[in-house]
Amino acid sequence: MKIHEYQARDLFRKYGIPVPEGELCHSVDEVKKKISDKDKLRVVKAQVLVGGRGKAGGVKLATTKAEAIEKAKQILGMEIKGITVEKILVADAVDIEKEFYVGLINDRNTKSVMLMASAEGGVEIEEVAKTSPEKIIKMPIDPTMGLMDWQARKVALQLFGDPKQVRQAAAILVKLYQLYIETDSSLAEINPLVLTPDKQVLAIDGKMNFDDNALFRQREIIAMREADENEKKELEANAKGLSYIKLDGNIGCMVNGAGLAMATMDMIKLYGGDPANFLDIGGSSNPQKVIDAMNILLSDKNVKSVMINIFGGITRCDDVARGLVAALQEIKTDIPIVIRLSGTNAKEGLEIIEQTGLPVVKTMSEAAKKAIELSKK
């Protein structure tokens, strides 16, 4: 689960992490009412659950109230990566002497929470990791001990030279770790953490993700949920017994079993294609699941072809075939579909499919190649 920047800032403030003041506004009228008449430097920021706001024009500076209102008019209603901006944060801007990055994430290699920090703040940490990995400081945190004060100071000392700034930054790191653990986070980052000309260390932008499996005990966090279109699809799929995650490709995948789903996506990548999703219909033989899965798959406008890869064990191939035929009668799509059935009742399933005129194949590699070929047409 993701939350907006303004929500992350509220959590930072609750845990004593210093952030500039700001007002959340849903309309230009709200900006007029909530923002004081005093002229000062402000930043108007789109609140959407995607990155790249600045590059898309969703972050603008204003020096007066009138200018803040004008910037709000420009940002509200604009689209950023297909998402319409419905709310903005109008926050006090600060003079910045230097920008830094600090973040916490679950690390499988060390089986612990990993503290990461860099003096290259204000840019995507993935880009820093790609171009200058040596500039990222990493410290695994013992889960039985937590982040110790001396560890926080050690990391802060590598970012800041002045002892006063080291103490400020170390205190922020300890509080960020406490927030991370107590809210069952899977990601908590401050980017940028800034040093101002008067030598104050402040968090001026934040991002937090949370473990969906722990939301049952995080009432305050789950109340913050504002699902975007992709999350809504994932929640809808989950409610129907499907496992669905949207990806950036154009070849829709419908598979039974997580392992086979991963192998299917790998096969598509191997032959030069890009999977549009992970979709596991599970072990049930209920044809309705196939109908639901096809509806979710084909609602993605990026999908240019669909690869269905079923290995029948508990799942019966003939039931999947009947569900697919019923789905296509209901949906009426012209998107090409490639089907590979193997295992329990595969012969019967293939006979049902062949009567519809849909292309069927015998192997995964053949299915992947065919789906890629059809996606280009």
Side-chain angles (χ1 to χ4, degrees):
M1 173 186 152
K2 302 175 184 178
I3 58 173
H4 291 283
E5 176 198 355
Y6 77 91
Q7 295 168 314
R9 286 164 63 114
D10 287 344
L11 287 172
F12 290 170
R13 194 176 290 110
K14 178 180 176 181
Y15 277 76
I17 298 171
V19 295
E21 292 298 318
E23 294 284 355
L24 179 69
C25 301
H26 295 80
S27 66
V28 175
D29 285 339
E30 274 194 61
V31 177
K32 293 176 182 177
K33 292 176 183 176
K34 290 185 176 182
I35 303 305
S36 70
D37 293 332
K38 182 180 178 182
D39 287 344
K40 59 179 177 178
L41 189 62
R42 298 181 175 94
V43 59
V44 184
K45 307 173 84 172
Q47 297 298 288
V48 288
L49 294 171
V50 292
R53 294 176 300 171
K55 293 178 182 177
V59 179
K60 297 181 184 293
L61 288 172
T63 54
T64 65
K65 180 174 181 176
E67 195 174 349
I69 292 169
E70 183 57 35
K71 301 298 183 186
K73 288 179 182 177
Q74 295 172 17
I75 295 174
L76 283 166
M78 74 181 296
E79 280 200 3
I80 300 177
K81 294 184 178 179
I83 298 175
T84 303
V85 178
E86 296 179 347
K87 48 186 169 287
I88 55 173
L89 177 68
V90 184
D92 292 348
V94 297
D95 290 331
I96 298 173
E97 185 174 300
K98 184 76 174 70
E99 295 183 331
F100 305 86
Y101 169 93
V102 296
L104 294 162
I105 193 167
N106 292 337
D107 180 56
R108 291 188 176 186
N109 292 329
T110 60
K111 298 180 177 65
S112 64
V113 176
M114 181 69 74
L115 170 61
M116 298 189 298
S118 175
E120 301 292 318
V123 296
E124 293 182 1
I125 194 65
E126 294 84 0
E127 190 61 31
V128 179
K130 187 187 299 182
T131 58
S132 309
E134 73 282 356
K135 294 182 179 179
I136 301 178
I137 304 160
K138 294 183 178 180
M139 177 179 283
I141 302 169
D142 187 325
T144 62
M145 301 296 290
L147 180 62
M148 309 295 285
D149 289 343
W150 68 267
Q151 292 176 308
R153 288 194 296 271
K154 181 180 179 180
V155 172
L157 194 58
Q158 295 177 72
L159 300 177
F160 300 89
D162 189 290
K164 292 182 180 178
Q165 296 154 26
V166 170
R167 285 195 292 271
Q168 289 182 64
I172 289 173
L173 292 177
V174 170
K175 290 169 183 175
L176 186 66
Y177 178 76
Q178 182 186 6
L179 168 61
Y180 184 92
I181 294 299
E182 292 182 0
T183 58
D184 290 305
S185 298
S186 56
L187 170 71
E189 64 179 27
I190 301 172
N191 189 22
L193 179 75
V194 303
L195 176 66
T196 65
D198 59 356
K199 308 308 177 185
Q200 297 299 306
V201 181
L202 300 173
I204 64 169
D205 198 350
K207 180 178 180 181
M208 292 193 72
N209 295 349
F210 304 92
D211 184 349
D212 288 344
N213 295 312
L215 290 177
F216 70 93
R217 63 186 178 202
Q218 296 291 346
R219 293 185 179 181
E220 181 184 357
I221 300 302
I222 201 168
M224 295 180 174
R225 172 168 252 163
E226 296 181 22
D228 60 18
E229 287 305 312
N230 293 336
E231 280 188 297
K232 286 176 183 176
K233 284 184 185 178
E234 291 174 15
L235 293 170
E236 177 191 349
N238 185 260
K240 293 178 177 178
L242 305 168
S243 296
Y244 172 82
I245 299 171
K246 188 186 181 315
L247 302 174
D248 295 329
N250 62 359
I251 299 175
C253 305
M254 185 198 301
V255 190
N256 65 315
L260 185 60
M262 297 297 289
T264 300
M265 293 190 295
D266 286 345
M267 189 69 73
I268 290 170
K269 292 292 288 185
L270 177 66
Y271 291 111
D274 285 303
N277 62 272
F278 170 104
L279 196 158
D280 173 15
I281 64 172
S284 169
S285 286
N286 184 357
Q288 183 60 43
K289 268 195 173 184
V290 182
I291 297 173
D292 294 334
M294 284 300 294
N295 275 310
I296 292 169
L297 269 184
L298 298 177
S299 66
D300 183 350
K301 295 178 181 178
N302 293 330
V303 170
K304 302 302 181 188
S305 69
V306 174
M307 174 178 168
I308 298 175
N309 187 16
I310 302 296
F311 179 78
I314 299 171
T315 306
R316 290 169 42 181
C317 293
D318 56 334
D319 280 343
V320 171
R322 291 189 187 93
L324 179 60
V325 171
L328 294 177
Q329 289 173 346
E330 191 176 295
I331 300 168
K332 302 294 184 186
T333 181
D334 57 358
I335 292 175
I337 299 169
V338 179
I339 303 152
R340 181 241 180 183
L341 302 177
S342 178
T344 306
N345 290 3
K347 181 181 177 182
E348 292 84 348
L350 289 170
E351 288 174 356
I352 293 169
I353 296 298
E354 285 171 351
Q355 291 173 10
T356 68
L358 291 172
V360 294
V361 295
K362 293 181 179 179
T363 66
M364 282 177 60
S365 58
E366 190 182 348
K369 290 176 182 176
K370 189 69 175 176
I372 294 168
E373 176 193 334
L374 293 172
S375 72
K376 295 174 180 177
K377 293 181 179 179

